[in-house]
Amino acid sequence: MLIFNTMGLSPNLLKGIEELGFEKPTPIQEEIIPIFFEKENDIVGLAQTGTGKTAAFGLPIIEQIDIRNKSVQALILAPTRELCIQISKDLKNYSKYIKGLHVVPVYGGASIDTQIRALKKGAHIIVATPGRMLDLINRKVAKIANVRTVVLDEADEMLNMGFRDDLDSILEKTPDIKRTLLFSATMLKEVARIAKNYMNSPVEITVGTQNAGAENIRHIYYQVHARNRYLVLKRIADINPDIYGIVFCRTRMETKEVADKLIKDGYNADALHGDLSQSQRDQVMKRFREKSLQMLVATDVAARGIDVNDISHIINYNLPEDNEVYTHRSGRTGRAGKSGISIAIVNYREKSKIPQIEKNIRKNFERLPVPNGAEICKKQLFKLIDRMEKVVVDEAQIAPFMDTVNKKLEWLSKEQIIKHFVSLEFNRFLEYYKNAPDLNEKAEDKRDKRDKRDKRDKRSERSHSDRHGRRGKNGYTRFFINIGKKDDVIPVNIIGMINDNTKDRDINIGAIDIKDSFSFFEVGEKYTAKILTSFHDSKFKGRRVRVDVAEEIKGGRNKGKRRKKSFYS
Ligand code: ADP
Ligand code: MG
């Protein structure tokens, strides 16, 4: 409590936050609270979700409320009903020991009459969504002429949700003499416009990097034909059996379609979109929060304000119209120091959006090959075996049956029993993926290559769609590596080793060709020396790895023949 104690908060407020277990202010609280009390400037706070913004503005606002004055003294605008409820709950908790303070949340999707009654009883602080607030102002129920502080929480989200005009109208109706605080995860153009039009020489406070959390997020894209999107989504889910993620779609229709298909195909998924009633949405969100739902298929609008930690994957079923929306989508993973993966399923046309998005997120995408059937089966099998290993055996309960079971299985060896057991659970996968096609978009790779000067396209060649090595060798060096199928090597392992060993993200990787006991891979010519030196001493599954330029391997059966050739015939 030491630091909070010195911040000019009254004892009753301190008591409230102490009960919440707040020991010291978060960085943004440490910055905002003193400025709030000591200066008169407007404030722009740029910080990610989870940094403690609610208390940063909430505590000083509560401190400044004059309880005897019955008029509305603070107005907090937030993008969603969920956030309004959350913020007002937080404020009520902070002010638990402050008698007579009234915080009233108002938002759409709930009875306006109830809210009108609550407002009429008196509100010192209103927490509102812009649409409902404007409605209540126009009905002359919410009177904001005496407001001293206006907070625009998650301003970027409000703008993304199309509240621009509502915000303008509300801000025009607030008194000139007031203080405005604006919070946003990113400084979008529109956010800057609001700051310029409605704020007085604001102090800008940035906590962490603007897109913090981004550090922990890996951005991946798969390039596929639009018609294969759904199949790719399934593969993503299959190769990540523990996925806990949000699948973003562009429209309600698409959201419904994708969710329906997933449900039909036996996935633990559901849809969240604007056609659902509020109670249906609450129901879905509840299941998702409790993690009884693994995949939430949602539109951007419906997913606003979803504040769930631990999300492992964000899947962009397609890229959003507006590149900045990608930042918001991906920002829902990789929170609170955890890592996360944001995946975009793109077709050739959408791929052109990647460079701009990379600029926004200040990170590069990795283009990866769509997981193939073998990789997925391996992953699922491992998961199954792992579950079997970890299952809790209730000795007492199963004891009475074991005799019969043992007798019945007598004729099978241990190895056979394992095979039967695995097949029982696993045949479905094997069957599905038996002749699974390569879903990587191929035709367009040729076009990519034409555009050599474009640096980005070099990276896209990391796609191993052309894994069998029949593409042009121009500009590539072919390497031999002494590990192959019998070592359970898959292309991703080799890509991983190249990336790990060289620590060079720009390295262009060509075809990867896995043979039984060895493999080949291609890398841009200029990286030849780097590969040779960096692979020195490297290991795969404990085995020493040897890498050599394929053409230069001498001697042996093929004598003078270039070894490479024999693998192309
Ligand atoms: P934001 O609005 O920046 O997303 P919140 O205000 O919702 O963040 O706070 C995120 C979480 O951190 C909440 O669970 C909140 O109770 C907690 N929190 C906020 N400030 C502190 C603090 N000083 N000490 C401990 N926990 C805090
Ligand atoms: Mg918040």
Side-chain angles (χ1 to χ4, degrees), residues 83 147 150 179 186 224 349 460-461 476 505:
L83 276 167
V147 160
V150 174
R179 170 179 239 172
T186 45
V224 307
R349 200 173 38 77
S460 82
E461 301 212 17
Y476 282 88
R505 292 184 51 99

Side-chain angles (χ1 to χ4, degrees), residues 477-483 517-522 531-532 535 545-553 557 563 567:
T477 301
R478 190 167 171 83
F479 289 89
F480 161 89
I481 183 166
N482 66 332
I483 47 175
S517 54
F518 53 85
S519 309
F520 292 105
F521 64 88
E522 294 177 354
I531 291 287
L532 290 174
F535 267 82
V545 166
R546 191 167 61 78
V547 166
D548 225 328
V549 176
E551 286 93 328
E552 285 174 8
I553 292 170
R557 295 145 296 165
R563 188 167 182 169
F567 294 101

Side-chain angles (χ1 to χ4, degrees), residues 310-371:
D310 303 334
I311 288 183
S312 68
H313 289 75
I314 292 299
I315 300 169
N316 294 267
Y317 193 70
N318 26 44
L319 286 175
E321 291 297 340
D322 177 354
N323 289 333
E324 280 175 342
V325 172
Y326 179 89
T327 315
H328 295 282
R329 289 182 176 182
S330 62
R332 290 172 193 282
T333 183
R335 289 187 176 185
K338 303 228 172 65
S339 58
I341 296 179
S342 173
I343 300 177
I345 306 175
V346 303
N347 63 13
Y348 183 73
R349 200 173 38 77
E350 284 175 309
K351 205 188 96 184
S352 59
K353 289 175 152 229
I354 298 266
Q356 184 55 47
I357 295 178
E358 287 181 326
K359 251 186 223 147
N360 292 351
I361 58 176
R362 298 200 204 104
K363 274 196 112 174
N364 288 333
F365 274 83
E366 300 164 56
R367 176 176 176 179
L368 291 185
V370 178

Side-chain angles (χ1 to χ4, degrees), residues 80-93:
T80 64
R81 160 199 148 108
E82 284 77 17
L83 276 167
C84 287
I85 294 171
Q86 185 62 46
I87 293 167
S88 90
K89 209 176 82 200
D90 289 347
L91 300 189
K92 285 174 189 170
N93 284 334

